[in-house]
Amino acid sequence: MPPKKAAIKVYAPATVANLACGFDVMGLSVREPGDELSLMLNSSGKISVRRIIGDGGKLSSDPKKNTASVAIQAMLDHMGIRQGADIVLRKRMPLGSGLGSSAASAVAGVFAMNELLGRPFSKSALVPFAMEGERIACGSAHADNVAPSMMGGIVLIRSYHPLEIISLPVPSQMYIALVHPQVEVLTRDARAVLPRKIPLETGIRQWANTASLVAGLFSSNFTLIGKSMEDHVAEPARAKLIPYFKEAKEAALLDGALSFSISGSGPTVFAVCKGKASALRVMSSIKKMYRDKKIPTDQYLSPVNRDGVIVIP
Ligand code: HSE
């Protein structure tokens, strides 16, 4: 076991959940944006959120409401120990954007505490604690943001009960273009518009795509990856929450994106591209479309991040 330290700083990356066809069961990690979190142990026996930077005052510092502190407390309760610590959270990503902001904070929190306690858990064993943060943030303890932010790469959640996470191969040259139109969509609201039931034909199309996406990732077959990343369940219901979704999709596909859909619960949209140059072109054309419509955006371009959460030296 590594020696115990009293303080640590970590970085947990943003994530793209669902990957179009894999609602609640697939996700990948990008290099940026992400959250920085510092954790300092103390003898108070309590977890406190000392400071949050970059959230525009929107996040709660109440340890029972903040995803990082809730996740850390879930871990400590599981271990049956009382440990005090101060959290300083620097949000380096937009909130309510579909980039897994609440998940990144929860992941950063439990990963940091695990490091300071001498690493009693593996990264995958930390996922259920981070999911408790998600439950507080959006009322549902899904893992498709938490797991890729923790473990990096592309993941499939084969089962929730019991939790079983499978890491999938990452084809080299797989780049993600992300464009965030600056409107807020809360995951809670984006989940409320989803159909409770789907016709069998829709299910058949959806699980065929999910399976063929996995096949495409294993064979680095970009054509198959692109064809498979089509969402017949969440995207049709959620597209109306995202300004000019149809126009953005047309622009991306016209400029060579292999696929285009909503990142998590939106409003960020993402395109999968082969190679950096293609991703750059696609990102620019989506951004231009939004600029023409006078909607400000943030944008990020990244290969799939294979590392997930890391310690910042
Ligand atoms: N799978 C979740 C959803 C991700 O789409 O609601 C939320 O970020």
Side-chain angles (χ1 to χ4, degrees):
M1 265 193 194
K4 261 193 170 189
K5 285 187 281 182
I8 196 166
K9 193 171 185 182
V10 305
Y11 174 79
T15 43
V16 175
N18 301 337
L19 303 188
C21 54
F23 178 74
D24 269 4
V25 299
M26 292 186 87
L28 61 76
S29 169
V30 290
R31 286 200 185 146
E32 53 171 17
D35 273 6
E36 265 177 35
L37 180 142
S38 300
L39 192 69
M40 285 76 61
L41 297 186
N42 62 37
S43 56
S44 68
K46 286 191 216 138
I47 305 299
S48 310
V49 183
R50 277 283 154 248
R51 203 164 159 219
I52 306 175
I53 304 152
D55 67 328
K58 287 189 183 157
L59 293 180
S60 173
S61 301
D62 178 343
K64 290 197 165 41
K65 293 188 183 148
N66 185 281
T67 65
S69 45
V70 166
I72 294 174
Q73 197 57 57
M75 174 185 166
L76 296 176
D77 289 348
H78 175 87
M79 295 173 81
I81 59 172
R82 279 189 71 198
Q83 171 66 60
D86 284 330
I87 297 171
V88 175
L89 178 62
R90 185 183 286 272
K91 297 296 300 178
R92 291 197 182 276
M93 68 166 106
L95 310 179
S97 60
L99 289 165
S101 165
S102 54
S105 301
V107 165
V110 286
F111 176 75
M113 182 57 94
N114 191 53
E115 290 292 305
L116 293 182
L117 294 180
R119 221 173 283 160
F121 296 101
S122 66
K123 271 188 164 185
S124 58
L126 290 173
V127 170
F129 307 129
M131 285 167 69
E132 291 308 312
E134 280 292 62
R135 193 193 302 281
I136 286 292
C138 57
S140 142
H142 50 269
D144 50 347
N145 291 113
V146 163
S149 182
M150 182 75 77
M151 297 158 68
I154 306 173
V155 303
L156 167 71
I157 296 120
R158 195 207 64 82
S159 153
Y160 271 89
H161 304 289
L163 187 63
E164 191 183 334
I165 299 162
I166 299 170
S167 287
L168 297 170
V170 178
S172 61
Q173 291 303 306
M174 184 166 172
Y175 275 77
I176 314 298
L178 291 161
V179 178
H180 168 229
Q182 288 175 16
V183 293
E184 195 171 358
V185 174
L186 295 178
T187 298
R188 218 177 265 276
D189 300 340
R191 291 183 85 84
V193 301
L194 295 174
R196 298 292 119 193
K197 292 187 178 159
I198 54 168
L200 181 61
E201 298 72 40
T202 308
I204 291 169
R205 294 170 83 191
Q206 194 84 357
W207 58 66
N209 276 335
T210 313
S212 63
L213 172 56
V214 172
L217 294 172
F218 268 92
S219 54
S220 289
N221 181 337
F222 279 94
T223 311
L224 187 58
I225 291 170
K227 271 198 293 195
S228 309
M229 291 180 73
E230 219 186 36
D231 178 9
H232 302 291
V233 177
E235 187 183 302
R238 287 176 167 175
K240 59 179 175 291
L241 303 177
I242 299 167
Y244 301 106
F245 179 82
K246 193 167 144 270
E247 289 81 352
K249 187 164 190 163
E250 272 166 18
L253 296 177
L254 200 66
D255 254 320
L258 298 167
S259 66
F260 176 94
S261 191
I262 304 168
S263 174
S265 53
T268 297
V269 290
F270 79 102
V272 172
C273 301
K274 185 175 182 185
K276 190 172 179 180
S278 168
L280 202 56
R281 212 170 33 246
V282 167
M283 191 177 77
S284 306
S285 72
I286 304 170
K287 185 180 151 187
K288 179 178 176 307
M289 187 286 297
Y290 277 116
R291 199 176 47 226
D292 291 348
K293 306 285 186 199
K294 312 241 175 312
I295 294 189
T297 57
D298 311 300
Q299 42 282 318
Y300 310 92
L301 181 114
S302 173
V304 177
N305 171 349
R306 294 166 193 262
D307 301 320
V309 61
I310 51 167
V311 174
I312 302 175

